[in-house]
Amino acid sequence: MLKLFRLSQLLPVLALTTILASCKDNDENPITVRPQLRKTVDYAKLTDTTTYANFFVDDKGAKTVDLTTGSTLLSMFRAINTYNGTAASTGATLDATTLKNMFSNTGNPFSGTANAALNTSGVQLRALTASSLSSADAEKERQTIEAAFTAMATASKSATATASEGTAGKLGTYLVDEKGIEWAQIIQKSLIGAFQVDYIANVLLSDKNLAADNTTLVAGKNYTQLEQNWDQIFGIITANPVYGSKATSTSSGESFIGSYMWEYNKDDFPKIHKALLTGRAAIVNNDLTTLKTQATFIRSAMEKAIAAAALGYLGKWKTAGTNTSAAAHAMGEGLGFIYSLRYAKLNNADAAFSDGLLTNLVYSAPNGFWGLTNAKIDAASTAIKTKFNIP
């Protein structure tokens, strides 16, 4: 009894000591906070027109959204695509080293008022490309992209010629190599998969990253690491304040994966912005169940889009008939999307699946695009439908 009494007398002292110690820790590290960091967000307040960057604020009304990193990466992707486009549009001869430097953000490769700041941004596409894979496999995929840069630069030397089987040049308005491969499209569509889909779906939305720190502010910032991860996703998908808000009946108003979710996944497209908002709100609310639901939806929407796009362009090759330039352009886009399918991990696709399709379509034929047949197109289409459970 004496021992119990003494313990009861001691407990208030211990509690007070703990409180004082806690206060001291917080004073020494004022950015350390305890869940829940923010006031709860009412999901019902999220609408299709809610502006992502402005909606989420801290208790003092300061913005917690920072799209800088995601937007910078999207701008780098756009700069590479624009540079490639000059070969066909102006006849410019491209430099493979410049493309590789833009990919790795080395040697100040970005120029012009809109892009010069990219050089000092401290981020690069190369490190994030295929970054869900092992180091060895990721490096292999990055070198595949860089090999495409070399092929693009080589093809650009023939921009004033007229292409035909065995001869590089232009087919209509499209620049192809001697095998009829439009490298500008291969690069663009391959980066949609290797950078956008893989980094968003398989890295930022992985279980590991969805469990990132959400109780402590990143040093010097007004967001947690989990909040910043989600903000990167928004910035990489769209440059618009509201994703999809500029879409019309004939245009997505978006670019890259943001555009193809409009063109080839009409069912999910109108729900993407709400999912991005809801996921961010779920992070504020520490609502992991809702967060994972939005993550799975976004991953699935992207995979549906690239699978449907691959099928769509295979179909366009067939309907192009004798219009060789249209057929070559369709295959350039289709081959790039088929390469990207290796990152569709929800559907258990991988490099072996993707490479097998590419080999059967063009890699095994000495004349590439010029050796395509209806049978090859049909075989690839059937394999994609089976893998992605598409009727």
Side-chain angles (χ1 to χ4, degrees):
M1 179 64 77
L2 180 59
K3 290 181 179 179
L4 285 175
F5 172 77
R6 287 177 176 173
L7 182 59
S8 66
Q9 292 289 91
L10 188 59
L11 283 174
V13 177
L14 290 173
L16 179 60
T17 302
T18 301
I19 292 171
L20 290 174
S22 176
C23 291
K24 182 180 179 182
D25 287 344
N26 285 338
D27 288 344
E28 292 175 348
N29 186 10
I31 64 172
T32 298
V33 291
R34 298 287 179 263
Q36 180 168 324
L37 183 62
R38 320 285 188 195
K39 291 179 180 176
T40 298
V41 173
D42 182 356
Y43 295 119
K45 292 185 177 180
L46 304 175
T47 73
D48 292 337
T49 59
T50 299
T51 303
Y52 183 96
N54 295 335
F55 183 83
F56 299 98
V57 296
D58 64 13
D59 291 352
K60 297 178 181 177
K63 291 182 181 180
T64 63
V65 171
D66 188 337
L67 301 177
T68 304
T69 299
S71 298
T72 298
L73 292 165
L74 182 61
S75 294
M76 288 177 168
F77 188 178
R78 183 174 290 112
I80 289 174
N81 192 61
T82 299
Y83 180 65
N84 280 336
T86 61
S89 63
T90 70
T93 299
L94 306 185
D95 180 9
T97 300
T98 297
L99 282 165
K100 291 177 183 176
N101 287 346
M102 294 170 87
F103 191 42
S104 61
N105 194 14
T106 54
N108 297 317
F110 298 102
S111 59
T113 303
N115 292 331
L118 300 177
N119 295 316
T120 56
S121 63
V123 297
Q124 59 166 278
L125 291 176
R126 193 181 196 283
L128 302 179
T129 294
S131 53
S132 75
L133 305 180
S134 68
S135 296
D137 288 343
E139 182 59 23
K140 179 182 176 183
E141 300 302 336
R142 291 161 188 162
Q143 290 181 8
T144 295
I145 298 292
E146 290 173 330
F149 293 156
T150 300
M152 179 72 218
T154 300
S156 73
K157 297 175 183 176
S158 302
T160 58
T162 299
S164 61
E165 184 171 349
T167 301
K170 290 182 72 173
L171 284 175
T173 58
Y174 307 118
L175 175 64
V176 301
D177 70 5
E178 70 280 7
K179 292 186 178 180
I181 305 300
E182 189 185 7
W183 286 102
Q185 289 300 325
I186 299 286
I187 292 168
Q188 182 192 117
K189 272 56 183 183
S190 295
L191 281 175
I192 285 176
F195 162 57
Q196 288 187 305
V197 173
D198 187 58
Y199 184 52
I200 291 173
N202 303 325
V203 177
L204 294 175
L205 296 181
S206 66
D207 287 345
K208 176 183 177 181
N209 275 296
L210 291 180
D213 185 4
N214 195 36
T215 62
T216 305
L217 297 179
V218 174
K221 304 295 183 182
N222 198 30
Y223 50 70
T224 67
Q225 187 58 60
L226 183 55
E227 289 174 330
Q228 173 55 196
N229 288 352
W230 200 269
D231 293 346
Q232 282 192 46
I233 294 169
F234 189 91
I236 291 170
I237 287 179
T238 181
N240 294 320
V242 175
Y243 172 74
S245 62
K246 294 184 178 180
T248 66
S249 60
T250 57
S251 172
S252 68
E254 301 289 348
S255 58
F256 309 129
I257 188 63
S259 177
Y260 286 97
M261 287 194 288
W262 168 82
E263 186 171 359
Y264 282 100
N265 189 355
K266 286 288 195 294
D267 289 340
D268 290 338
F269 170 72
K271 307 170 188 173
I272 298 294
H273 186 67
K274 193 71 168 292
L276 290 165
L277 290 169
T278 303
R280 187 58 160 80
I283 291 172
V284 172
N285 296 345
N286 285 332
D287 179 356
L288 187 58
T289 299
T290 299
L291 177 60
K292 287 192 172 183
T293 298
Q294 308 314 308
T296 301
F297 171 76
I298 294 167
R299 292 184 67 181
S300 176
M302 289 193 293
E303 292 195 9
K304 286 180 186 176
I306 61 173
L311 286 172
Y313 286 110
L314 289 172
K316 287 183 178 180
W317 177 89
K318 295 181 72 172
T319 57
T322 58
N323 186 339
T324 307
S325 63
H329 181 61
M331 281 315 299
E333 300 208 50
L335 295 172
F337 276 118
I338 290 171
Y339 168 85
S340 288
L341 295 182
R342 71 192 60 212
Y343 300 103
K345 294 186 177 180
L346 285 181
N347 286 280
N348 298 314
D350 55 20
F353 172 75
S354 177
D355 287 340
L357 295 179
L358 294 171
T359 297
N360 291 335
L361 283 166
V362 294
Y363 289 173
S364 59
N367 54 351
F369 156 80
W370 301 100
L372 279 169
T373 63
N374 281 334
K376 290 182 178 180
I377 296 292
D378 291 343
S381 297
T382 299
I384 293 170
K385 288 179 179 178
T386 301
K387 173 65 74 176
F388 288 84
N389 195 28
I390 297 173

